[in-house]
Amino acid sequence: MSNKFFSEGRWKEAIAQYQKLLEIQSGDVDIYWNLSHCYRQLNLLDEYFNTLQQGIKLYPTDERLHFSSIIDLRQNGRIQEAIFSADNAAKCFPDDYTFQLLKYLTVPSIYENREEINFYRQRYTQGLQDLIQQTSLQTTEEQNSALAGIGRLTNFYLSYQAQNDIDLQRQYGNLVHEIMTLNYPQWVVPVSMPKLQPNNKIRIGYVSYYLHSYSGTLWLTGWLRYCDRSSFEIYCYYIGNQPDPITQQFQQYSDFFHHIPDNLSAVSEQIIADKLHILVFPEIGMNPQTMQMAGLRLAPVQCTAWGHPVTTGLPTIDYFLSSELMEPENAQEHYSEKLIRLPNIGVSYPKPYIPPVIKTRSDFQLPDDAVIYLCCQAPFKYLPQYDFIFAEIAHRVPQAKFVFLRGTLLQPRLKLAFAAIGLNSEDYCVFLSIPERLDYLMINLLSDVYLDTFTWSGGNTTLEAIACNLPIVTCPGEFMRGRHSDSFLKMLGVTDTISKNETEYIEIAVKLGLDPTWRGTIAERMSQNHDHLFDDKACVAGLEAFYKRVCSKHFSA
């Protein structure tokens, strides 16, 4: 009965039955696994973690329980428990490389204060050195375990510390490459550039886990849609398995489309067989399988792009395809790859469809007289040193409501920031759960101002806000990942709301909140200039000029 309810997604009924079962007997490990999953689905996190811990005590050799506990403790801001659990798991599974990676390289998804960032960066730096020194790849078993480990994890959260990651990424990238070399020695040797016969086209491959509706690859449809078919032949390799209408677009825009999920060897063999001139990974660092493949040499020229806007550190990636508007002057210092600055924002982003306004603020329990500041980034983009900005805006805009859409992890920090100037955060901060895309767009259309995050700005979210004509307050950061919104607004030709520093950011946000006439003027100018930003063809021409240049260099050599 428990399992029947579980399979039907009737979580509360399944919980009741599993609990009855556990009163009679201790139960096998799958009961704890399934019960924990039920709690997870209902967002009952304390019960979820307690159930995992009970299961681990009774079944300490079930690695699923350990892995889920560590990953989700970190995800929910319980970093010290996550590290303790990772240490424990590494002792239970000394030969499982997954838990070595977690033991040494776990960093928070969210920080309590600025000092924590420095502490965990030092911890990661030392941990990476220790991991490299202790990694033994002498036996086939060790090589296979290391391969499985890097196939389950990436070091995604490191880059949200807002520092130059090139040295740490190089160390990690070299480690990944070494593991891939020992497991796939046939696919790390240099690949010669295929000859281009008369009337032949340059063969470009794109490989991604995310060839579906996903923020890190949605822009790629523009590169393919506006491709010069007389010069290029497009090959797409979809290694994920969540096909949707955007997947159909990728298929439509490809000359050859291969859907090969969860099979690194098969997709690598297909890429080799296709004799590409250039292979592009749109985002490296989001998905473990992509990182593994990128550590091989499957084409003579290999590139990455800013679907994940951080250097890979991999010796097998030759070029980073970026944006001339986003990169600061010294940008090459941030990349192990050779930096290519494509025209404008570097990508051809399709203009989103924005529906008419069919809901009201009351549908989301938001007051009609509030000044709504939309804060829609993932919690890990909000660093603690900028929390005071919300409180300062609220101090000067009494009707302010800050709407957060990604959970309540920031709540304790915001409470402190508002209390520091004598305000109650609960009077100003609203945390909504918006699972449906229509509701997400409605929130954009019903808001007054979009507050961009410092050091790692919005990408997809900013572009959609612009499509909704929602004024954007932003402050460009030191690295490309903190300059997306800045570049979008410059391309749009609406730069009034770009600030130079935190003080100016607050002033612009306050003025937008208090001056509806100015706010309306900004929104109107945005609406008139959409064509400057969306579906840009200049960047595609620049991209294809780069492709031809690289190939001709190889041909002449």
Side-chain angles (χ1 to χ4, degrees):
M1 184 63 72
S2 309
N3 290 340
K4 179 179 184 293
F5 288 144
F6 181 82
S7 65
E8 294 172 357
R10 294 160 67 179
W11 311 119
K12 287 182 180 177
E13 292 159 287
I15 287 169
Q17 293 299 324
Y18 282 131
Q19 286 175 337
K20 282 183 186 175
L21 197 58
L22 290 176
E23 287 170 13
I24 302 165
Q25 59 188 68
S26 62
D28 64 25
V29 67
D30 286 338
I31 291 176
Y32 289 95
W33 176 251
N34 290 357
L35 180 56
S36 72
H37 185 79
C38 294
Y39 286 129
R40 187 80 182 83
Q41 291 298 312
L42 295 171
N43 204 34
L44 298 169
L45 295 182
D46 287 338
E47 292 88 343
Y48 168 66
F49 288 120
N50 288 339
T51 304
L52 285 176
Q53 288 307 314
Q54 288 168 16
I56 287 169
K57 280 179 187 171
L58 290 168
Y59 299 97
T61 58
D62 190 277
E63 60 91 27
R64 294 174 304 173
L65 301 175
H66 288 273
F67 185 78
S68 294
S69 178
I70 298 162
I71 297 299
D72 286 333
L73 282 167
R74 171 174 65 182
Q75 189 78 20
N76 286 281
R78 295 162 68 162
I79 185 63
Q80 290 174 334
E81 293 170 78
I83 289 173
F84 177 81
S85 297
D87 284 338
N88 182 42
K91 289 171 189 161
C92 292
F93 305 96
D95 298 325
D96 190 328
Y97 200 69
T98 300
F99 295 113
Q100 299 303 312
L101 288 165
L102 286 167
K103 174 184 176 179
Y104 288 113
L105 303 186
T106 293
V107 296
S109 63
I110 186 166
Y111 296 93
E112 294 302 313
N113 51 58
R114 199 172 200 158
E115 292 70 36
E116 259 198 359
I117 299 174
N118 295 327
F119 172 82
Y120 281 106
R121 190 167 188 88
Q122 290 171 6
R123 183 183 185 277
Y124 181 97
T125 303
Q126 184 60 52
L128 181 56
Q129 291 174 12
D130 293 343
L131 175 68
I132 292 167
Q133 287 170 4
Q134 293 180 28
T135 296
S136 175
L137 299 168
Q138 299 300 312
T139 67
T140 305
E141 290 76 16
E142 289 171 338
Q143 293 164 14
N144 289 340
S145 178
L147 178 70
I150 62 169
R152 297 185 77 184
L153 298 160
T154 69
N155 56 350
F156 172 79
Y157 286 112
L158 172 71
S159 301
Y160 290 90
Q161 296 175 340
Q163 299 189 40
N164 188 355
D165 297 321
I166 183 170
D167 293 335
L168 293 173
Q169 289 291 82
R170 270 202 175 113
Q171 291 175 54
Y172 186 75
N174 287 330
L175 176 63
V176 168
H177 177 58
E178 183 184 4
I179 292 167
M180 297 309 292
T181 297
L182 290 166
N183 281 278
Y184 299 100
Q186 73 277 28
W187 290 332
V188 291
V189 294
V191 179
S192 58
M193 179 68 76
K195 293 282 191 292
L196 201 62
Q197 304 301 330
N199 302 321
N200 274 12
K201 298 175 183 179
I202 295 173
R203 293 184 290 281
I204 310 292
Y206 296 94
V207 58
S208 175
Y209 185 84
Y210 301 105
L211 297 186
H212 50 250
S213 184
Y214 180 74
S215 61
T217 47
L218 196 57
W219 53 266
L220 178 57
T221 57
W223 279 6
L224 304 192
R225 181 181 180 187
Y226 300 118
C227 170
D228 174 7
R229 299 290 164 175
S230 65
S231 300
F232 299 96
E233 202 165 61
I234 300 297
Y235 294 72
C236 275
Y237 308 90
Y238 179 30
I239 65 170
N241 202 16
Q242 297 177 49
D244 63 14
I246 300 297
T247 309
Q248 292 170 11
Q249 284 187 34
F250 280 113
Q251 196 159 2
Q252 178 189 342
Y253 299 146
S254 302
D255 295 291
F256 299 91
F257 184 90
H258 299 284
H259 184 197
I260 309 174
D262 307 315
N263 193 332
L264 187 145
S265 294
V267 73
S268 298
E269 284 169 357
Q270 184 63 57
I271 292 170
I272 293 285
D274 289 337
K275 294 185 165 53
L276 301 176
H277 295 94
I278 298 172
L279 178 62
V280 180
F281 297 85
E283 46 16 82
I284 297 175
M286 309 287 289
N287 169 257
Q289 284 71 47
T290 308
M291 187 83 175
Q292 286 178 312
M293 287 183 66
L296 300 171
R297 175 58 71 175
L298 302 174
V301 174
Q302 299 189 156
C303 310
T304 190
W306 66 264
H308 185 53
V310 183
T311 185
T312 68
L314 290 163
T316 43
I317 300 298
D318 309 302
Y319 297 97
F320 195 105
L321 306 175
S322 187
S323 147
E324 67 179 1
L325 279 179
M326 290 183 196
E327 294 290 359
E329 281 184 29
N330 64 334
Q332 185 59 65
E333 297 170 15
H334 310 152
Y335 295 95
S336 60
E337 309 83 3
K338 183 171 175 52
L339 183 63
I340 303 299
R341 302 168 192 253
L342 297 177
N344 300 327
I345 63 171
V347 298
S348 181
Y349 192 88
K351 184 175 179 178
Y353 166 72
I354 304 300
V357 181
I358 57 171
K359 293 198 175 187
T360 66
R361 288 185 171 186
S362 61
D363 290 317
F364 301 100
Q365 288 78 54
L366 295 170
D368 285 334
D369 61 347
V371 177
I372 295 183
Y373 292 94
L374 182 60
C375 311
C376 58
Q377 302 304 323
F380 44 79
K381 283 190 179 181
Y382 293 91
L383 293 185
Q385 56 265 41
Y386 304 107
D387 289 349
F388 78 96
I389 284 170
F390 300 107
E392 286 295 331
I393 295 169
H395 182 64
R396 292 158 64 177
V397 185
Q399 298 297 102
K401 292 284 185 191
F402 303 96
V403 176
F404 295 89
L405 300 182
R406 307 277 194 99
T408 57
L409 274 181
L410 295 171
Q411 216 166 13
R413 272 186 12 204
L414 291 170
K415 192 172 183 180
L416 291 173
F418 278 76
I421 60 168
L423 297 177
N424 182 352
S425 63
E426 291 178 13
D427 294 336
Y428 302 95
C429 298
V430 179
F431 297 87
L432 297 180
S433 177
I434 306 290
E436 299 296 329
R437 174 163 175 77
L438 176 66
D439 284 346
Y440 172 73
L441 292 173
M442 286 302 121
I443 289 286
N444 273 267
L445 291 165
L446 294 168
S447 294
D448 296 303
V449 182
Y450 172 108
L451 293 182
D452 197 22
T453 29
F454 286 76
T455 74
W456 192 309
S457 69
N460 211 55
T461 49
T462 303
L463 288 161
E464 290 181 331
I466 288 171
C468 293
N469 304 314
L470 181 59
I472 314 283
V473 188
T474 191
C475 182
E478 181 182 356
F479 307 105
M480 182 261 279
R481 55 191 182 265
R483 302 165 73 94
H484 300 334
S485 300
D486 173 71
S487 69
F488 303 153
L489 292 177
K490 284 174 177 169
M491 203 166 161
L492 199 65
V494 182
T495 58
D496 316 50
T497 59
I498 299 173
S499 64
K500 297 186 183 67
N501 51 47
E502 295 148 40
T503 302
E504 200 173 310
Y505 183 103
I506 294 167
E507 287 169 0
I508 292 169
V510 168
K511 185 180 178 186
L512 283 170
L514 297 178
D515 187 343
T517 304
W518 187 54
R519 191 165 73 229
T521 303
I522 296 290
E524 178 61 27
R525 285 170 53 205
M526 292 171 77
S527 73
Q528 291 170 358
N529 291 356
H530 283 179
D531 290 345
H532 297 184
L533 174 63
F534 296 112
D535 293 296
D536 175 50
K537 298 182 183 67
C539 69
V540 182
L543 173 74
E544 294 180 346
F546 161 73
Y547 286 160
K548 289 177 180 177
R549 195 165 64 246
V550 165
C551 287
S552 65
K553 190 165 70 175
H554 277 263
F555 295 145
S556 60

